[in-house]
Amino acid sequence: MLQLTEGFHTYFAGLGKGQFSFFKKLAYSCFTTLRWFLLYDEEVNQLDSHEWHKLIMVHHWPATVCKEVKDHCKDPPDYWTIHGLWPDKSEGCNRSWHFNPEEIKDLLSDMRMYWPDLLHSSPNRSLHLWKHEWEKHGTCAAQLEALNSQKKYFGKSLDLSKELALNSTLQKLGITPSTYYQISDIKDALVSVYGVVPKVQCLPKQGDEEVQLLAQIEVCFSKDLQLQNCMEPGEPAPRGPEARPAASLGLEICKDGVLFYPALNKTNH
């Protein structure tokens, strides 16, 4: 190695001024090209980190959500409401694309009805939830032309929720609050209507509670907004971090066995 280094020094020392200038420019060009490739590779990796494969339409049950947060709810509705429309493997794709309520002013009536914020009690409480959902999930869903604006994202979410008609679907299936169910019976009933396998989340049993509580139902869509399985038939429920998504802190994929579908106790709110 020492002999090779000395050889290079000897070689460059013997170069004329013009020749040395040529090699200096060549070295600079190589360095610039290498730097460009490294920056490009970093940009590609960032784009890859925002790649996703399916959309998850998430509804949650207010009675369980309020119990999860120790009844810190303000006038929760007694029907399933939208939690969000989430790309499955990506979050916060454009942190400079801020939520602007003016863009969804035509949707506000439906938004307040079907997508309320259960946890915040300020007069404009739902803006907090909608801002969070847009900046964390909507900016990633916006990769699709059908969802590439705030009005499109929230409008299409409302449309998908109405198409699923989760509240009336559960009622028609005879799945009603204040009742114990086998988790398999609920999933099978939903499959019989939607034709795809949903994901059902529960609030784990706590303290002296006997069973887990039904909390959240997720129905998945492909990138062309067609229903698809959230979980393949027979696929084991995930464990660990995947079973507890950050957006549903405290919830987990329902364990096989019995769950309770609680009624909303309005006397506590």
Side-chain angles (χ1 to χ4, degrees), residues 135-154:
E135 295 181 358
K136 184 174 183 179
H137 304 291
T139 55
C140 298
Q143 292 176 20
L144 298 185
E145 184 178 354
L147 303 172
N148 65 1
S149 72
Q150 294 180 45
K151 186 171 184 178
K152 285 183 180 180
Y153 171 72
F154 288 107

Side-chain angles (χ1 to χ4, degrees), residues 9 52 74 99 152 159 174 180-181 192 237:
H9 280 299
W52 53 271
K74 178 70 173 178
F99 174 65
K152 285 183 180 180
D159 290 344
Y180 290 90
Y181 295 95
S192 72

